[in-house]
Amino acid sequence: MDFGIAGKKAIVLGASRGLGAAIGRALAEEGVNVLAVSRSGAMPAVSENGAGRGAITARAIDLSDPDAVDAFAAEQKERADVDILINNSGGPKPGPARDQPRSEWMYAFGGMACPFFTVTDAVLDGMTKRNWGRIVTVGSSGIVQPIPNLALSNAIRSAIAGWSKTLAAEVAPFGVTVNMLLPGRIDTDRLRELDQAAAQRTGTSVEEVARASRARIPAGRYGNPEEFGAAAVFLSSQQAAYITGSKIPVDGGLIAGQ
Ligand SMILES: NC(=O)c1ccc[n+]([C@@H]2O[C@H](COP(=O)([O-])OP(=O)(O)OC[C@H]3O[C@@H](n4cnc5c(N)ncnc54)[C@H](OP(=O)(O)O)[C@@H]3O)[C@@H](O)[C@H]2O)c1
């Protein structure tokens, strides 16, 4: 299928590894030119560039540094040439809702939600002028069904969901769609770190944590990042023009209800 996005320009935040890297690769496969942002500035691993593929360039920006985010946003506002923005970054620390210090809430909101808001605002001028744009934000199944001991993630991503839905209605008349993808359990560094932390907390092995976790997923397995990247490509496509304000799980059926 031709997704109608070859030659477009995308920014993928949090793109050196995991879900962001898979999205960057998948967009480039469709001929999109991708700017991959991360703290390290490492390139998402790609196989040799084939004919018709878009270019991937990488840039080192720490999204938890407001000055760096503001400078990047000002540059993008001036260029006004981004067609697709993927809002993604590292996840916050695990922990309960009770007794989280105010500093942790502020740090997690400032590092995860605020950069998405700022960079999105910066690219919207160009998108609305051209009457075409795609904003895709990576959330979590925890927005629909809170995940125990991930209070910062559950709460802050729910705030991001409120922002995404509100923005979707504001920019729909200008040909810009705004959606969220909700990963369930996709096999990345982050998932392995969380399984490791759960094993330490509960005094079991990582294998036992992963086995119990897979048993709760109707598909019976963790997802792979390529499956997640494919969903992001579809939401970024020409064909997805009438999908906006949505939260789409990529979770093997994990979310019970909805
Ligand atoms: N994997 C899952 O099953 C799952 C489920 C629910 C939610 N999520 C959420 O989805 C997001 C992506 O997940 P993932 O599994 O791909 O995570 P990951 O493996 O930890 O990768 C995170 C990516 O974000 C970058 N990053 C982290 N902090 C950053 C910062 N301050 N500034 C710029 N880039 C930063 C990392 O690169 P550098 O280290 O180079 O900066 C890396 O490329 C996370 O927020 C995660 O919590 C994932």
Side-chain angles (χ1 to χ4, degrees), residues 16-17 19 39-40 62-63 88-91 157 184 186 188 190:
S16 62
R17 307 176 266 123
L19 304 183
R39 286 170 305 189
S40 62
D62 183 347
L63 295 170
N88 175 59
S89 188
R157 291 187 207 278
I186 317 284
T188 65
R190 161 84 173 168

Side-chain angles (χ1 to χ4, degrees), residues 37-211:
V37 171
S38 65
R39 286 170 305 189
S40 62
M43 284 284 281
V46 278
S47 50
E48 209 170 295
N49 255 20
R53 289 194 198 162
I56 303 185
T57 49
R59 179 97 173 256
I61 298 169
D62 183 347
L63 295 170
S64 65
D65 174 351
D67 292 338
V69 172
D70 283 351
F72 180 64
E75 182 193 318
Q76 295 307 323
K77 198 176 173 71
E78 176 76 25
R79 296 178 65 99
D81 62 353
V82 172
D83 305 295
I84 298 165
L85 172 64
I86 310 292
N87 286 315
N88 175 59
S89 188
K93 287 203 298 206
R98 192 173 174 185
D99 290 337
Q100 283 291 339
R102 181 193 175 91
S103 58
E104 290 293 344
W105 288 110
M106 300 298 282
Y107 180 75
F109 193 83
M112 200 164 74
C114 293
F116 294 177
F117 305 162
T118 304
V119 177
T120 300
D121 280 343
V123 299
L124 273 175
D125 281 359
M127 289 180 178
T128 53
K129 273 195 197 108
R130 289 190 298 279
N131 250 286
W132 201 99
R134 300 285 183 266
I135 311 286
V136 179
T137 300
V138 176
S140 166
S141 61
I143 291 173
V144 180
Q145 200 165 290
I147 303 167
N149 207 52
L150 279 183
L152 289 167
S153 171
N154 296 333
I156 291 166
R157 291 187 207 278
S158 293
I160 294 170
W163 162 81
S164 181
K165 185 75 179 167
T166 309
L167 180 65
E170 291 176 14
V171 298
F174 304 99
V176 179
T177 67
V178 185
N179 291 292
M180 292 190 79
L181 282 173
L182 311 186
R185 296 184 73 75
I186 317 284
D187 195 3
T188 65
D189 292 351
R190 161 84 173 168
L191 190 70
R192 286 183 283 274
E193 284 159 17
L194 289 176
D195 282 355
Q196 183 76 50
Q200 269 167 9
R201 209 174 56 250
T202 56
T204 49
S205 66
V206 183
E207 292 71 30
E208 180 50 30
V209 168
R211 194 201 58 72

